[in-house]
Amino acid sequence: MVLRINLFGDFSVCDGDGDMIEGFGRKSISLMCLLAAGKGLKTTRAKAAGLIWSDRREEQARASLRQELAQLRRLCGADAIAADKQSIWLVAEQVSIDVQDFREALGKGTSQAFEVAGEIYKGALLDGHQSKSDGFEDWIEAERRILDNDAFDAMVRLVQSKLEK
C-alpha cells in the first residue's frame, strides 16, 4: 500500500485507495512532517526527539518518540516507517509525498515542470499547524521559508518562460 502524504497547506495522509487516514495528533503530524520533508526521508532519533519534544529531558523525549512511532505504525502500517537504534525513516517505496514531488519538479527546470510544481504547492508547509515545541517551530519556519521561496521562484520562472514564447 502506497501512502500519499500531503504537507502543503492542510496535512493529510491517504491510503492506497485514496481514503484519508484519520487519528494523527499534533506530535504525529510533526514527526511525519520532519520525516517527509527531510532529504532522504530520514532523521536521527536524537534530532526528532530534540525538535518535537524540546521542552522535555532527553529521556522523556526519547520515550515519547517511541510511543509516537508506535502510533504512526498503527495508522500508516509498519511497512511505511522503518527505524534502527539511531535513525527513523519513511520507506520510499511505500510513500508518495507532495514536498518530494515538488522538489523533483523544480529540479527538472522546465516550464512544464514549474507548472506541475505550482499545482502541487497548495500553501505553506503544514499551514496552521502549531506543535507547541519551540525546537520544531524554529525548524518548520526555516523549512517554510525555503519552500515558499522555491514556489515563488518557480512561479516567476514560469511566467518568464510564458512571456518569452
Coordinates of all heavy atoms in Angstrom, one line a residue, residues 2-8 11-15 21 23-43 48 52-53 65 68-77 79-82 88-91 94-100 103 125-126 129 131 136 139-140:
V2 N 0.7 2.1 -1.0 CA 1.4 3.4 -1.0 C 0.6 4.5 -0.4 O -0.5 4.7 -0.8 CB 1.8 3.7 -2.5 CG1 2.5 5.1 -2.5 CG2 2.7 2.7 -3.1
L3 N 1.2 5.1 0.6 CA 0.5 6.2 1.3 C 0.8 7.5 0.5 O 1.9 7.7 0.1 CB 1.0 6.4 2.7 CG 0.8 5.2 3.6 CD1 1.5 5.5 5.0 CD2 -0.6 4.9 3.9
R4 N -0.1 8.4 0.5 CA 0.1 9.7 -0.1 C 0.1 10.7 1.1 O -0.9 10.9 1.8 CB -1.0 10.1 -1.1 CG -0.9 11.5 -1.6 CD 0.3 11.7 -2.5 NE 0.4 13.0 -3.0 CZ 1.5 13.5 -3.6 NH1 2.5 12.7 -3.8 NH2 1.5 14.8 -4.0
I5 N 1.2 11.4 1.3 CA 1.4 12.3 2.4 C 1.4 13.7 1.8 O 2.2 14.0 0.9 CB 2.7 12.1 3.1 CG1 2.7 10.6 3.7 CG2 2.9 13.1 4.3 CD1 4.0 10.2 4.2
N6 N 0.5 14.6 2.3 CA 0.4 15.9 1.8 C 0.8 16.9 3.0 O 0.1 16.8 4.0 CB -1.0 16.3 1.3 CG -1.4 15.4 0.1 OD1 -0.7 15.5 -0.9 ND2 -2.4 14.6 0.2
L7 N 1.8 17.7 2.7 CA 2.3 18.6 3.8 C 2.0 20.0 3.4 O 2.0 20.9 4.3 CB 3.8 18.4 4.0 CG 4.2 17.0 4.4 CD1 5.7 16.9 4.4 CD2 3.7 16.7 5.8
F8 N 1.8 20.3 2.1 CA 1.5 21.7 1.7 C 0.1 22.0 2.1 O -0.9 21.3 1.8 CB 1.7 21.9 0.2 CG 3.2 22.0 -0.2 CD1 3.6 21.1 -1.2 CD2 4.0 22.9 0.4 CE1 5.0 21.2 -1.6 CE2 5.3 23.0 0.0 CZ 5.8 22.1 -1.0
F11 N -2.5 19.3 6.4 CA -1.9 17.9 6.4 C -2.9 16.9 6.2 O -4.0 16.9 6.6 CB -1.3 17.7 7.8 CG -0.8 16.3 8.1 CD1 0.5 16.0 7.7 CD2 -1.6 15.4 8.7 CE1 0.9 14.7 7.9 CE2 -1.2 14.1 9.0 CZ 0.1 13.8 8.6
S12 N -2.5 15.9 5.4 CA -3.3 14.7 5.2 C -2.5 13.5 4.8 O -1.4 13.7 4.2 CB -4.5 15.0 4.1 OG -3.9 15.1 2.9
V13 N -3.0 12.4 5.1 CA -2.4 11.1 4.6 C -3.5 10.3 4.1 O -4.5 10.1 4.8 CB -1.6 10.4 5.8 CG1 -1.1 9.0 5.3 CG2 -0.5 11.2 6.4
C14 N -3.3 9.8 2.9 CA -4.4 8.9 2.3 C -3.7 7.5 2.0 O -2.6 7.4 1.7 CB -4.8 9.5 0.9 SG -5.7 11.1 1.2
D15 N -4.6 6.5 2.1 CA -4.1 5.1 1.8 C -4.1 4.9 0.3 O -4.4 5.8 -0.5 CB -5.0 4.1 2.6 CG -6.4 4.1 2.1 OD1 -6.7 4.6 1.0 OD2 -7.2 3.5 2.9
I21 N -6.6 8.8 6.0 CA -6.4 8.2 7.3 C -6.5 9.2 8.4 O -5.9 10.3 8.4 CB -4.9 7.5 7.3 CG1 -4.8 6.5 6.2 CG2 -4.6 6.9 8.7 CD1 -3.4 6.0 6.0
G23 N -6.8 10.3 12.7 CA -6.2 9.9 14.0 C -4.8 10.5 14.3 O -4.2 10.1 15.3
F24 N -4.3 11.4 13.4 CA -3.0 11.9 13.7 C -3.1 13.1 14.7 O -3.8 14.0 14.5 CB -2.4 12.5 12.4 CG -2.0 11.4 11.4 CD1 -2.9 11.0 10.4 CD2 -0.8 10.9 11.4 CE1 -2.6 10.0 9.5 CE2 -0.4 9.9 10.5 CZ -1.3 9.5 9.6
G25 N -2.3 12.9 15.8 CA -2.3 14.0 16.8 C -1.2 15.0 16.4 O -0.5 14.9 15.4
R26 N -1.1 16.1 17.1 CA -0.2 17.2 16.9 C 1.3 16.7 16.8 O 2.0 17.0 15.8 CB -0.3 18.2 18.0 CG 0.5 19.4 17.8 CD 0.4 20.3 19.1 NE -0.9 20.3 19.7 CZ -1.7 21.3 19.8 NH1 -1.4 22.5 19.4 NH2 -2.9 21.2 20.3
K27 N 1.7 15.8 17.7 CA 3.1 15.3 17.6 C 3.3 14.3 16.5 O 4.3 14.3 15.8 CB 3.4 14.6 19.0 CG 3.4 15.5 20.2 CD 4.4 16.6 20.1 CE 4.3 17.4 21.4 NZ 5.2 18.5 21.5
S28 N 2.3 13.5 16.1 CA 2.4 12.6 15.0 C 2.5 13.4 13.7 O 3.3 13.0 12.8 CB 1.1 11.7 14.9 OG 1.0 10.8 15.9
I29 N 1.8 14.5 13.6 CA 1.9 15.3 12.4 C 3.3 15.9 12.3 O 3.9 15.9 11.2 CB 0.8 16.4 12.4 CG1 -0.6 15.7 12.2 CG2 1.1 17.4 11.3 CD1 -1.8 16.7 12.4
S30 N 3.8 16.4 13.4 CA 5.1 17.0 13.4 C 6.2 16.0 13.0 O 7.1 16.3 12.2 CB 5.4 17.5 14.8 OG 4.6 18.6 15.2
L31 N 6.1 14.8 13.5 CA 7.0 13.7 13.2 C 6.9 13.3 11.7 O 8.0 13.2 11.1 CB 6.8 12.5 14.1 CG 7.8 11.4 13.9 CD1 9.3 11.8 14.0 CD2 7.6 10.3 14.9
M32 N 5.7 13.2 11.2 CA 5.6 12.8 9.8 C 6.2 13.9 8.9 O 6.8 13.6 7.9 CB 4.1 12.7 9.5 CG 3.5 11.4 9.9 SD 4.2 9.9 9.1 CE 3.2 9.9 7.6
C33 N 5.9 15.2 9.3 CA 6.5 16.3 8.5 C 8.0 16.3 8.6 O 8.7 16.4 7.5 CB 6.0 17.6 9.1 SG 6.6 19.0 8.2
L34 N 8.6 16.1 9.7 CA 10.0 16.0 9.9 C 10.6 14.9 9.0 O 11.6 15.2 8.3 CB 10.4 15.8 11.3 CG 11.9 15.8 11.7 CD1 12.5 17.1 11.4 CD2 12.1 15.4 13.1
L35 N 10.0 13.8 8.9 CA 10.5 12.7 8.1 C 10.2 12.9 6.6 O 11.1 12.8 5.8 CB 9.8 11.4 8.5 CG 10.1 10.8 9.9 CD1 9.2 9.7 10.2 CD2 11.6 10.5 10.0
A36 N 9.0 13.4 6.3 CA 8.6 13.5 4.9 C 9.3 14.7 4.2 O 9.5 14.7 3.0 CB 7.1 13.6 4.8
A37 N 9.5 15.8 4.9 CA 10.1 17.0 4.3 C 11.6 16.9 4.3 O 12.3 17.7 3.6 CB 9.6 18.2 5.1
G38 N 12.2 16.0 5.0 CA 13.7 15.9 5.1 C 14.2 15.2 3.9 O 13.6 14.5 3.2
K39 N 15.5 15.6 3.6 CA 16.2 15.0 2.5 C 16.4 13.5 2.8 O 16.8 13.1 3.9 CB 17.5 15.6 2.3 CG 17.4 17.1 2.1 CD 17.1 17.5 0.6 CE 17.3 18.9 0.3 NZ 16.2 19.8 0.6
G40 N 16.1 12.6 1.9 CA 16.2 11.2 2.1 C 15.2 10.5 3.0 O 15.3 9.4 3.4
L41 N 14.2 11.3 3.4 CA 13.1 10.8 4.3 C 13.5 10.2 5.6 O 12.9 9.4 6.2 CB 12.2 9.8 3.5 CG 11.8 10.1 2.1 CD1 11.0 9.0 1.5 CD2 11.0 11.4 2.1
K42 N 14.7 10.7 6.1 CA 15.3 10.1 7.2 C 15.8 11.2 8.2 O 16.2 12.2 7.8 CB 16.5 9.3 6.8 CG 17.2 8.4 7.8 CD 18.3 7.5 7.1 CE 18.8 6.5 8.1 NZ 19.7 5.6 7.4
T43 N 15.7 10.8 9.5 CA 16.3 11.7 10.5 C 16.8 10.9 11.7 O 16.4 9.7 11.8 CB 15.3 12.7 11.0 OG1 15.9 13.8 11.7 CG2 14.2 12.1 11.8
A48 N 14.9 14.1 16.1 CA 13.4 14.1 16.2 C 13.0 14.4 17.6 O 12.1 15.2 17.8 CB 12.9 12.7 15.7
I52 N 10.9 17.9 18.4 CA 9.5 17.7 18.7 C 9.1 17.8 20.2 O 8.1 18.3 20.6 CB 8.9 16.4 18.0 CG1 9.1 16.6 16.5 CG2 7.5 16.2 18.4 CD1 8.8 15.3 15.7
W53 N 10.1 17.3 21.0 CA 9.9 17.4 22.5 C 11.0 18.2 23.1 O 11.6 17.8 24.1 CB 9.8 16.0 23.0 CG 8.6 15.2 22.6 CD1 7.4 15.2 23.2 CD2 8.5 14.3 21.5 NE1 6.6 14.4 22.4 CE2 7.2 13.8 21.4 CE3 9.4 13.9 20.5 CZ2 6.8 13.0 20.4 CZ3 9.0 13.0 19.5 CH2 7.7 12.6 19.5
L65 N 9.0 9.7 21.8 CA 9.3 9.4 20.4 C 8.9 7.9 20.1 O 8.3 7.6 19.1 CB 10.7 9.7 20.0 CG 11.2 9.2 18.6 CD1 10.4 10.0 17.6 CD2 12.7 9.5 18.5
E68 N 5.2 7.7 19.9 CA 4.7 8.3 18.7 C 4.9 7.4 17.5 O 4.1 7.3 16.6 CB 5.3 9.7 18.5 CG 4.4 10.6 17.9 CD 3.1 10.8 18.6 OE1 3.0 11.2 19.8 OE2 2.0 10.6 18.0
L69 N 6.1 6.8 17.4 CA 6.4 5.8 16.3 C 5.5 4.7 16.3 O 5.0 4.3 15.2 CB 7.9 5.3 16.5 CG 9.0 6.2 15.9 CD1 10.3 5.7 16.3 CD2 8.8 6.4 14.4
A70 N 5.1 4.2 17.5 CA 4.2 3.0 17.6 C 2.8 3.5 17.0 O 2.2 2.8 16.3 CB 4.1 2.5 19.0
Q71 N 2.4 4.7 17.4 CA 1.1 5.3 16.9 C 1.2 5.4 15.4 O 0.2 5.1 14.7 CB 0.9 6.6 17.6 CG -0.3 7.4 17.0 CD -1.7 6.7 17.3 OE1 -1.8 5.7 18.0 NE2 -2.7 7.3 16.8
L72 N 2.2 6.0 14.8 CA 2.3 6.1 13.4 C 2.3 4.8 12.7 O 1.7 4.7 11.6 CB 3.6 6.9 13.0 CG 3.6 8.4 13.3 CD1 5.0 9.0 12.9 CD2 2.5 9.1 12.5
R73 N 2.9 3.8 13.2 CA 2.9 2.5 12.6 C 1.5 1.9 12.6 O 1.1 1.2 11.6 CB 3.9 1.5 13.3 CG 5.3 1.9 12.9 CD 6.3 0.8 13.4 NE 7.6 1.0 12.9 CZ 8.7 1.2 13.7 NH1 8.6 1.2 15.0 NH2 9.9 1.4 13.2
R74 N 0.8 2.1 13.6 CA -0.6 1.7 13.7 C -1.5 2.4 12.6 O -2.3 1.8 11.9 CB -1.3 1.9 15.1 CG -0.9 0.9 16.1 CD -1.8 1.0 17.4 NE -1.5 2.3 18.1 CZ -0.5 2.5 18.9 NH1 0.4 1.5 19.1 NH2 -0.4 3.6 19.6
L75 N -1.3 3.7 12.5 CA -2.0 4.5 11.5 C -1.6 4.2 10.0 O -2.5 4.1 9.2 CB -1.9 6.0 11.8 CG -2.5 6.5 13.0 CD1 -2.1 7.9 13.3 CD2 -4.0 6.4 13.0
C76 N -0.3 4.1 9.8 CA 0.2 4.1 8.4 C 0.6 2.7 8.0 O 0.9 2.5 6.8 CB 1.4 5.0 8.3 SG 1.1 6.7 8.7
G77 N 0.7 1.8 8.9 CA 1.2 0.4 8.6 C 2.7 0.3 8.9 O 3.5 1.3 8.7
D79 N 5.0 -1.2 7.4 CA 5.9 -1.1 6.2 C 6.3 0.3 5.8 O 7.3 0.4 5.1 CB 5.2 -1.8 5.0 CG 5.0 -3.3 5.2 OD1 5.6 -3.9 6.1 OD2 4.2 -3.8 4.5
A80 N 5.6 1.3 6.2 CA 5.8 2.6 5.8 C 6.9 3.3 6.6 O 7.6 4.3 6.1 CB 4.6 3.5 5.8
I81 N 7.1 2.9 7.8 CA 8.1 3.6 8.7 C 9.1 2.5 9.2 O 8.7 1.5 9.8 CB 7.4 4.3 9.9 CG1 6.4 5.3 9.3 CG2 8.4 4.9 10.8 CD1 5.4 5.8 10.3
A82 N 10.3 2.8 9.0 CA 11.4 1.9 9.5 C 12.3 2.7 10.5 O 12.3 3.9 10.5 CB 12.3 1.5 8.3
I88 N 15.3 7.1 12.1 CA 13.9 6.8 11.7 C 13.7 7.2 10.3 O 14.3 8.3 9.9 CB 12.9 7.6 12.5 CG1 13.2 7.5 14.0 CG2 11.5 7.2 12.2 CD1 12.6 8.6 14.8
W89 N 13.0 6.5 9.5 CA 12.8 6.9 8.1 C 11.5 6.4 7.5 O 11.0 5.4 8.0 CB 14.0 6.6 7.2 CG 14.3 5.1 7.1 CD1 13.8 4.3 6.1 CD2 15.1 4.3 7.9 NE1 14.3 3.0 6.3 CE2 15.0 3.0 7.4 CE3 15.8 4.5 9.1 CZ2 15.7 1.9 8.0 CZ3 16.4 3.5 9.7 CH2 16.4 2.2 9.1
L90 N 11.0 7.1 6.5 CA 9.9 6.6 5.7 C 10.5 5.8 4.6 O 11.5 6.1 4.0 CB 9.1 7.8 5.1 CG 8.4 8.7 6.1 CD1 7.8 9.9 5.4 CD2 7.3 7.9 6.9
V91 N 9.8 4.7 4.3 CA 10.3 3.7 3.3 C 9.8 4.3 1.9 O 8.6 4.4 1.7 CB 9.7 2.3 3.5 CG1 10.2 1.4 2.4 CG2 10.2 1.8 4.9
Q94 N 7.0 3.0 -0.2 CA 5.7 2.9 0.5 C 5.0 4.2 0.6 O 3.9 4.3 1.1 CB 5.9 2.3 1.9 CG 6.4 0.9 1.9 CD 5.5 -0.1 1.2 OE1 4.3 -0.1 1.3 NE2 6.1 -1.0 0.4
V95 N 5.7 5.3 0.2 CA 5.1 6.6 0.4 C 5.3 7.5 -0.9 O 6.2 7.3 -1.6 CB 5.7 7.4 1.6 CG1 5.4 6.7 2.9 CG2 7.2 7.6 1.4
S96 N 4.3 8.4 -1.0 CA 4.4 9.4 -2.1 C 4.1 10.7 -1.3 O 3.2 10.8 -0.6 CB 3.3 9.1 -3.1 OG 3.1 10.2 -3.9
I97 N 5.0 11.7 -1.5 CA 5.0 12.9 -0.7 C 4.9 14.2 -1.6 O 5.8 14.3 -2.5 CB 6.2 13.0 0.2 CG1 6.3 11.7 1.1 CG2 6.2 14.2 1.1 CD1 7.6 11.4 1.7
D98 N 4.0 15.0 -1.3 CA 3.9 16.2 -2.1 C 5.2 17.1 -2.1 O 5.6 17.6 -3.2 CB 2.7 17.1 -1.8 CG 2.6 17.6 -0.4 OD1 3.5 17.2 0.5 OD2 1.7 18.4 0.0
V99 N 5.8 17.2 -1.0 CA 7.0 18.1 -0.9 C 8.1 17.4 -1.8 O 8.9 18.2 -2.5 CB 7.5 18.2 0.5 CG1 8.9 18.9 0.6 CG2 6.5 19.0 1.3
Q100 N 8.3 16.1 -1.8 CA 9.3 15.5 -2.6 C 8.9 15.6 -4.1 O 9.8 15.9 -4.9 CB 9.4 14.0 -2.2 CG 9.8 13.8 -0.8 CD 11.2 14.4 -0.5 OE1 12.1 14.5 -1.3 NE2 11.3 14.9 0.8
R103 N 9.9 19.2 -5.1 CA 11.3 19.4 -5.3 C 11.8 18.7 -6.6 O 12.6 19.2 -7.3 CB 12.1 18.8 -4.1 CG 11.9 19.7 -2.8 CD 12.7 19.1 -1.7 NE 12.7 20.0 -0.6 CZ 12.6 19.7 0.7 NH1 12.5 18.4 1.0 NH2 12.6 20.6 1.6
L125 N 4.0 25.0 4.2 CA 4.2 23.7 4.8 C 3.4 23.6 6.1 O 3.6 24.5 7.0 CB 5.7 23.5 5.0 CG 6.2 22.2 5.6 CD1 6.0 21.1 4.5 CD2 7.7 22.3 5.9
L126 N 2.6 22.6 6.3 CA 1.7 22.4 7.5 C 1.1 23.7 7.9 O 1.1 24.1 9.1 CB 2.5 21.8 8.6 CG 2.9 20.4 8.6 CD1 3.5 20.0 9.9 CD2 1.8 19.5 8.1
H129 N -0.5 24.6 11.4 CA -0.1 23.6 12.4 C 0.7 24.3 13.5 O 1.7 25.0 13.3 CB 0.7 22.5 11.8 CG 1.3 21.5 12.8 ND1 0.5 20.6 13.4 CD2 2.5 21.3 13.2 CE1 1.2 19.8 14.2 NE2 2.4 20.2 14.1
S131 N 2.8 23.2 16.9 CA 3.3 22.0 17.6 C 3.5 22.2 19.1 O 3.6 21.3 19.8 CB 4.7 21.6 17.0 OG 5.7 22.5 17.3
F136 N 10.7 22.5 17.2 CA 10.1 22.2 15.9 C 9.6 23.4 15.2 O 9.7 23.5 14.0 CB 8.9 21.2 16.2 CG 8.2 20.8 14.9 CD1 8.8 19.8 14.1 CD2 7.1 21.4 14.5 CE1 8.2 19.4 12.9 CE2 6.5 21.0 13.3 CZ 7.0 20.0 12.5
W139 N 12.4 24.9 13.4 CA 12.8 24.1 12.2 C 11.7 24.3 11.1 O 12.1 24.5 9.9 CB 12.8 22.6 12.6 CG 13.0 21.7 11.4 CD1 14.2 21.4 10.8 CD2 12.0 21.0 10.7 NE1 14.0 20.6 9.8 CE2 12.7 20.3 9.6 CE3 10.7 21.0 10.7 CZ2 12.0 19.6 8.7 CZ3 10.0 20.2 9.8 CH2 10.7 19.5 8.8
I140 N 10.5 24.2 11.4 CA 9.4 24.3 10.4 C 9.4 25.7 9.7 O 9.1 25.9 8.5 CB 8.1 23.9 10.8 CG1 7.2 23.5 9.6 CG2 7.4 24.9 11.7 CD1 6.0 22.7 9.9

